[in-house]
Amino acid sequence: MVSLNRALDVTSSVLASTLRGWRGSMASRTVQQPAQLPEIFDREGCPECRLVREACTELNLDVKIVPLPDGGSRFAGQLRDLSGATQVPFLNDPNTDTRLSGAQAIVEYLFRHYANRSAPAQVQPTPRNLTLSKLATRVRSGQGVKARASRPAQQPLTLYSFESSPYSRLVREKLSELELPYVLINIGKQQRADVGPSNFRLHLGPYKPLPNTKRSEFFARHGNVQVPYLIDPNTGIDMFESADIVQYLERTYGA
Ligand SMILES: N[C@@H](CCC(=O)N[C@@H](CS)C(=O)NCC(=O)O)C(=O)O
């Protein structure tokens, strides 16, 4: 039964990424990572939030995610203080003192400020993109949308991920439901050789990430590049494998 549920989870997550045309897979080769992490108030299954996260992967930008699932109260006060409301997505960029609400404004700002260009149509909240993003949430049965009883984490966790990664989505959903803030390190694909799962790349020959990138740093540390990868400074653990990570989060923070 467990393995059937797992297979359904992975399949529906692949379908969710397919519905979004695998946006949030490829990352720019350069990044102007700012001194401080931009903060995004987010809900994993929120259709507009997905477009913002896709934009962050494509810009190769790391951000801090503050989850605000439906019924969640842990960060609602903080968001209300910043924005006067509790609507997500909301961006707080301390580097430029910018506060913006809604995918349209946020995606446009991120591309303009961090890449000096307009946002591509595919990550803008057009009726088509929002419909496909809603369908993606639907095929995931709204996982990550509603808050669950949980214990708070003293410090934010760190997740290496990229938006379309079907396995990483399962972890992000859990972080969202449990209202656990995390530093999202985006390591999207930057060349053809990056395409495919870590143990079965489409590229022939030994795998080599582009030099001087987050991927090459990760490769030097771990001997491969695979997401999701979670670091929890609260317990000192770091781990691969989405199923293990989801179980760990449930065990450590679920109430
Ligand atoms: N069994 C692993 C599979 C992880 C996996 O295949 N992740 C893909 C992304 S969805 C990956 O790391 N691909 C290699 C890459 O992006 O370079 C899990 O459940 O976490």
Side-chain angles (χ1 to χ4, degrees), residues 58-251:
E58 300 201 3
L59 289 165
N60 205 1
L61 186 69
D62 301 336
V63 293
K64 179 177 172 197
I65 297 285
V66 183
L68 222 97
D70 282 347
S73 55
R74 197 165 291 152
F75 301 106
Q78 200 177 316
L79 180 54
R80 212 175 289 112
D81 288 347
L82 283 169
S83 75
T86 53
Q87 221 161 330
V88 293
F90 181 82
L91 168 84
N92 176 29
D93 189 346
N95 302 286
T96 56
D97 237 342
T98 301
R99 291 171 183 177
L100 295 169
S101 194
Q104 180 78 51
I106 297 174
V107 165
E108 199 47 61
Y109 163 81
L110 290 174
F111 271 88
R112 182 53 57 205
H113 186 75
Y114 289 107
N116 205 17
R117 61 189 161 105
S118 332
Q122 294 89 335
V123 293
Q124 291 193 21
T126 58
R128 179 176 188 277
N129 288 336
L130 286 174
T131 302
L132 292 170
S133 189
K134 271 182 204 155
L135 280 175
T137 300
R138 196 69 69 80
V139 300
R140 285 297 302 138
S141 315
Q143 300 281 337
V145 170
K146 288 207 175 89
R148 296 238 333 272
S150 66
R151 291 186 283 272
Q154 293 306 310
Q155 297 176 66
L157 286 67
T158 294
L159 179 71
Y160 285 75
S161 167
F162 56 87
E163 179 54 30
S164 71
S165 157
Y167 294 101
S168 302
R169 178 176 293 111
L170 308 180
V171 173
R172 294 196 313 261
E173 288 169 351
K174 190 57 73 184
L175 290 163
S176 179
E177 287 172 9
L178 298 177
E179 297 181 83
L180 297 170
Y182 58 102
V183 174
L184 176 62
I185 311 274
N186 273 302
I187 48 173
K189 297 172 189 287
Q190 296 176 294
Q191 54 168 350
R192 279 176 65 108
D194 296 341
V195 175
S198 56
N199 55 358
F200 187 67
R201 294 191 191 275
L202 302 185
H203 173 80
L204 296 176
Y207 172 59
K208 256 204 229 132
L210 290 179
N212 305 318
T213 59
K214 288 182 272 179
R215 277 189 165 258
S216 66
E217 264 174 46
F218 194 99
F219 186 80
R221 217 174 320 134
H222 301 286
N224 205 344
V225 177
Q226 180 176 307
V227 295
Y229 174 66
L230 182 85
I231 303 174
D232 186 349
N234 303 289
T235 59
I237 68 96
D238 60 278
M239 61 201 295
F240 287 98
E241 292 300 328
S242 55
D244 296 344
I245 299 174
V246 163
Q247 223 178 56
Y248 163 79
L249 291 172
E250 192 62 64
R251 213 176 43 234

Side-chain angles (χ1 to χ4, degrees), residues 25-38:
S25 299
M26 299 307 292
S28 120
R29 288 189 172 207
T30 54
V31 61
Q32 299 165 13
Q33 185 64 44
Q36 299 178 72
L37 288 168

